[in-house]
Amino acid sequence: MMDGTDQKAANLVLLGPPGAGKGTQARMLEESFGLVQLSTGDLLRAAVKAGTEAGRQAKAVMEAGDLVSDEIVIAILRDRLGEPDCAKGVILDGFPRTTGQAEALDRLMTETGQGITAAISLEVDDNAMVARISGRYTCAGCGEGYHDTFKTPATPGTCDKCGGTEMTRRADDNAETVEQRLRAYHAQTAPLIDYYDGKGVLARVDAMADIDTVAQELNTIVAQAVA
Ligand code: ADP
Ligand code: AMP
């Protein structure tokens, strides 16, 4: 891990449609660079599970594949960003997803004297996303992500990371919801590629390549961001 004193705190945004590989790559970057992965999808699923007011409001919206309101998501993200571990830098996975969220993030960063070091767009073809999402599953113990075809554990049914044997699939990972999530991505999130390009912090990565090839490209970009 490169999170010694020689490493700068960097705040990274991973952009890309559902299934692009944001979570997979964020976890690998977290391990390599000691940055903290912040997934608003994970935070919202935890709120749904805990039955909080925000979770109750978000549940049906998530099941339909629509975006949860900026108000709810920004409040959840702000709370998490305020926790001490985030001071070493974060990898935002699935946030921001609207221009309103991007502007709120800029304000939050400015308040704490920070900024977005790099926004990395994982570029993929829409028609590959249904296969990626419908084959996705996760270790219930540690959250490690797998895929029926593209990323299988060394021993079938057993997590490589924690040895757990309970695997879960997300309720919204079905073909119908994927189409709606892709529509939401193109209408509301894709414009953020230009938003960050305009700020001079955008990097584009071909995320149709295999997981390790994408990881190598990201490592190079992030190594520069923390240097
Ligand atoms: P996101 O967080 O962007 O929604 P994930 O990281 O969960 O996407 O990846 C979606 C699924 O595709 C997972 O099952 C993951 O194992 C698999 N996957 C991720 N990156 C790739 C890749 N480059 N090639 C093939 N499959 C991938
Ligand atoms: P994800 O885990 O990133 O695929 O997100 C799952 C679902 O959570 C999305 O389809 C949205 O309903 C909701 N969600 C996650 N992040 C956001 C966000 N930044 N803004 C709005 N909705 C979000």
Side-chain angles (χ1 to χ4, degrees):
M1 198 196 281
M2 295 177 49
D3 66 343
T5 46
D6 53 341
Q7 183 178 305
K8 269 196 324 204
N11 296 305
L12 309 168
V13 169
L14 286 187
L15 292 169
K22 301 181 296 296
T24 304
Q25 297 296 335
R27 284 178 74 91
M28 292 165 88
L29 290 171
E30 185 173 56
E31 260 183 39
S32 310
F33 293 94
L35 304 170
V36 173
Q37 175 196 12
L38 288 191
S39 154
T40 41
D42 285 348
L43 293 172
L44 286 166
R45 280 184 288 278
V48 170
K49 202 169 169 190
T52 66
E53 180 53 31
R56 274 197 292 275
Q57 290 183 39
K59 188 170 187 285
V61 180
M62 293 171 76
E63 280 169 1
D66 292 322
L67 293 187
V68 174
S69 73
D70 282 359
E71 196 190 351
I72 289 179
V73 180
I74 291 165
I76 283 186
L77 198 266
R78 184 193 293 120
D79 286 352
R80 181 65 186 90
L81 262 185
E83 288 175 28
D85 61 330
C86 293
K88 57 189 169 186
V90 295
I91 308 164
L92 294 168
D93 155 11
F95 183 96
R97 261 175 156 101
T98 64
T99 305
Q101 292 179 16
E103 290 168 352
L105 176 62
D106 284 343
R107 285 193 294 275
L108 281 174
M109 288 280 152
T110 306
E111 278 167 20
T112 53
Q114 301 179 68
I116 297 301
T117 324
I120 306 168
S121 171
L122 300 183
E123 313 240 309
V124 288
D125 300 338
D126 272 10
N127 55 20
M129 292 306 98
V130 173
R132 282 210 192 165
I133 285 178
S134 50
R136 166 162 64 189
Y137 63 97
T138 304
C139 170
C142 71
E144 183 68 4
Y146 292 99
H147 190 279
D148 291 328
T149 310
F150 307 130
K151 186 183 167 191
T152 53
T155 306
T158 302
C159 179
D160 294 339
K161 294 277 164 175
C162 75
T165 52
E166 189 191 341
M167 301 287 173
T168 59
R169 289 184 194 258
R170 281 167 49 177
D172 60 342
D173 277 352
N174 56 70
E176 303 78 57
T177 311
V178 173
E179 296 297 335
Q180 180 52 27
R181 286 156 68 196
L182 284 171
R183 273 194 290 276
Y185 171 78
H186 288 292
Q188 292 170 275
T189 309
L192 297 183
I193 296 174
D194 281 348
Y195 180 90
Y196 286 111
D197 201 12
K199 290 180 176 288
V201 294
L202 183 75
R204 295 174 190 269
V205 168
D206 173 14
M208 291 304 292
D210 62 60
I211 292 174
D212 289 341
T213 305
V214 177
Q216 275 173 22
E217 275 207 54
L218 283 172
N219 265 307
T220 305
I221 294 167
V222 178
Q224 282 169 4
V226 300

